[in-house]
Every structure is written in structure tokens, then in C-alpha cells.
Amino acid sequence: MDFPSWMQRAIQARLDEVTEQIEHDPELSRVRGENDEAFEALFAGKDIEQTPEYTEWENRYIVRKGIENERLYMHGLRDGIQLTVSLLGQSMLVERGHESD
């Protein structure tokens, strides 16, 4: 099923808005900063993947991506529920309008 182009643009605009909100989230900024610090420490070692710094960076990266994905999922879930409720509400109004004929 293809969505109309106006709906695709609306979905993309909402995704861009939510992504922007997440990028400026204070908790995520803190986690991102810790991630960057751990990543910079990686280059001090010779065998990067075998260093504790790499393991620390990798763990922080996984946490950061998990937080980002969770927030994107929750925003998407809320938006989907709002869209569903709105469409069902419109559908019920249309049905009631036809019943009164």
C-alpha cells in the first residue's frame, strides 16, 4: 500500500522533528559526550579492539543507540496511536452522518 505523497511528506516532517528533539535531549547529550570521550581514548592504544577503552566505548555506543532507538520507537508509537484515534474518530463521524440520512 502506497501512502499519498502529502502523507509521506507529513511522516518525514514528523520524523525530522522527533530526530531533532532527540539530538538536543540533555540525557542523550551527556551519554553522547561520554561516548565521544571513550572513543578518543581508543586511539592511545595500538591494538584498538583488544583494549579496555574500546570495550568501554563500544558499551557506551550500544547504550546510546539503545536510548535513541527507544525514544524514536516511543515517539512513533504515540504518533501512530494519535493517527489511529484521529482516523477512527473521522470514520465514526462519517458513519454517523450516513446513519442520520
Side-chain angles (χ1 to χ4, degrees):
M1 175 177 143
D2 290 334
F3 290 112
S5 59
W6 66 265
M7 184 175 256
Q8 290 176 6
R9 286 191 303 273
I11 291 169
Q12 184 62 53
R14 179 61 177 155
L15 179 60
D16 292 344
E17 177 186 334
V18 169
T19 301
E20 182 72 19
Q21 288 173 357
I22 289 172
E23 285 295 318
H24 291 93
D25 181 87
E27 179 187 1
L28 193 53
S29 292
R30 179 190 57 76
V31 170
R32 198 177 295 118
E34 291 172 354
N35 183 61
D36 291 344
E37 288 174 16
F39 186 78
E40 289 172 12
L42 283 177
F43 296 106
K46 301 266 187 213
D47 188 8
I48 292 175
E49 291 185 2
Q50 300 301 318
T51 64
E53 293 86 3
Y54 179 81
T55 302
E56 181 180 348
W57 172 81
E58 186 176 39
N59 289 338
R60 290 177 187 273
Y61 178 79
I62 291 168
V63 168
R64 186 185 106 208
K65 293 309 274 181
I67 292 170
E68 288 174 354
N69 289 336
E70 180 182 347
R71 297 218 173 135
L72 284 171
Y73 173 80
M74 291 307 293
H75 274 286
L77 186 61
R78 279 193 293 270
D79 287 350
I81 290 169
Q82 288 175 344
L83 179 60
T84 301
V85 167
S86 177
L87 291 173
L88 287 174
Q90 290 298 319
S91 176
M92 291 175 71
L93 288 174
V94 168
E95 285 180 18
R96 286 185 182 147
H98 288 290
E99 288 176 5
S100 63
D101 291 339

